[in-house]
């Protein structure tokens, strides 16, 4: 089993609300088709679909006012819209993909997933179907509701299904020593150990400037996966054939997280 998480910044145009990058989605779906059939679970992020709506209504902060209620539903619906584009494309090109809504079977506690029944997802994979999940607005036992990130979901699925590999498809080549867009001598870290990661976390403040957009959160989240013995790979999904090669287990430029 492999788990593939595609970042929202890869599949949507970040600065244009509710706009998918149809060209890149099609190419990535073609790459999945070339690697198909294989036991795979797919998760995608929100990009310009879920995030602006969730932010507008403060969904990630939990329930504070009745005015948020339509926002909770709208956040989910924005993600359904993006998910539909992806699932439709996969079906069109011949991959039997099926949309699985996280908010319909996952409840969080303080924004962390509580153990839930994975039977449906598991049985879909066994049947040769590709379950496509996504970051979603979900009910939360303590805060009323929360935003479940695609990263947390992908990590959790990888651990629970004892996946062999978790692939994060992002819009940079992997984890860098500092922000390559600002620091020209920034180096790609090809292998990042948990110990090294702890060092980065201690540096704390500088990380937000040193590590490219949301990368630290992603790798910190992925810690549980590495500890469970799952290989975690961070690769650039914007580059053609990178996801295809990663799915096939062929060598590819990127960062591998190791124990
Ligand atoms: O883009 C969050 O998923 P992410 C999705 O993986 C929503 O953080 C609903 C904002």
């Amino acid at each position: 089993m492999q788990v593939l998480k595609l970042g929202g910044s890869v599949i949507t145009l970040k600065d244009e609300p509710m706009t998918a990058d149809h060209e890149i989605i099609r190419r990535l779906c073609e790459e999945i088709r070339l690697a198909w059939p294989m036991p795979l679970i797919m998760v995608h992020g929100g990009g310009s679909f879920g995030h602006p709506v969730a932010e507008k209504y403060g969904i990630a902060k939990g329930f504070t006012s009745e005015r948020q209620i339509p926002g909770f539903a709208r956040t989910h619906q924005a993600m359904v819209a993006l998910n539909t584009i992806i699932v439709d494309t996969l079906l069109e090109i011949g991959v039997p993909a099926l949309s699985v809504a996280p908010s319909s079977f996952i409840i969080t506690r303080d924004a962390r997933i509580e153990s839930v029944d994975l039977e449906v997802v598991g049985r879909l994979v066994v049947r040769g179907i590709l379950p496509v999940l996504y970051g979603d607005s979900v009910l939360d036992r303590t805060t009323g509701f929360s935003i479940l990130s695609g990263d947390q979901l992908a990590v959790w699925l990888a651990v629970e299904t004892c996946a062999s590999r978790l692939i994060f498809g992002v819009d940079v080549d992997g984890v860098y020593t500092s922000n390559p867009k600002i620091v020209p001598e920034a180096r790609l870290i090809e292998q990042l150990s948990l110990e090294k990661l702890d060092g980065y976390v201690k540096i704390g403040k500088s990380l937000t400037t040193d590590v490219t957009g949301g990368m630290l959160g992603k790798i910190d989240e992925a810690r549980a996966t590495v500890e469970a013995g799952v290989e975690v790979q961070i690769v650039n999904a914007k580059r053609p054939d990178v996801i295809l090669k990663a799915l096939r287990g062929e060598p590819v430029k990127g960062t591998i997280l190791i124990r």
Side-chain angles (χ1 to χ4, degrees), residues 5 45-47 50-51 54 75 79 135-137 147-151:
K5 157 82 200 294
H51 287 284
T75 302
M79 291 308 299
D136 202 358
S137 47
I147 293 295
L148 168 62
S149 76
D151 287 345

Side-chain angles (χ1 to χ4, degrees), residues 10-72:
V10 173
I11 53 176
T12 73
L13 304 180
K14 261 201 157 165
D15 300 325
E16 290 178 45
M18 300 287 282
T19 310
D21 190 332
H22 291 270
E23 205 176 302
I24 217 155
I25 288 174
R26 186 150 200 109
R27 184 177 55 67
L28 287 165
C29 291
E30 290 284 359
E31 291 184 29
I32 292 165
R33 185 183 62 84
L34 290 170
W36 193 259
M38 59 163 51
L40 181 67
I41 300 172
M42 194 173 149
V43 178
H44 63 81
S48 65
F49 283 73
H51 287 284
V53 192
E55 224 163 272
K56 182 175 168 196
Y57 292 91
I59 304 303
K61 293 186 201 115
F63 176 81
T64 52
S65 138
E66 286 294 331
R67 280 181 305 141
Q68 293 171 298
I69 299 295
F72 175 74

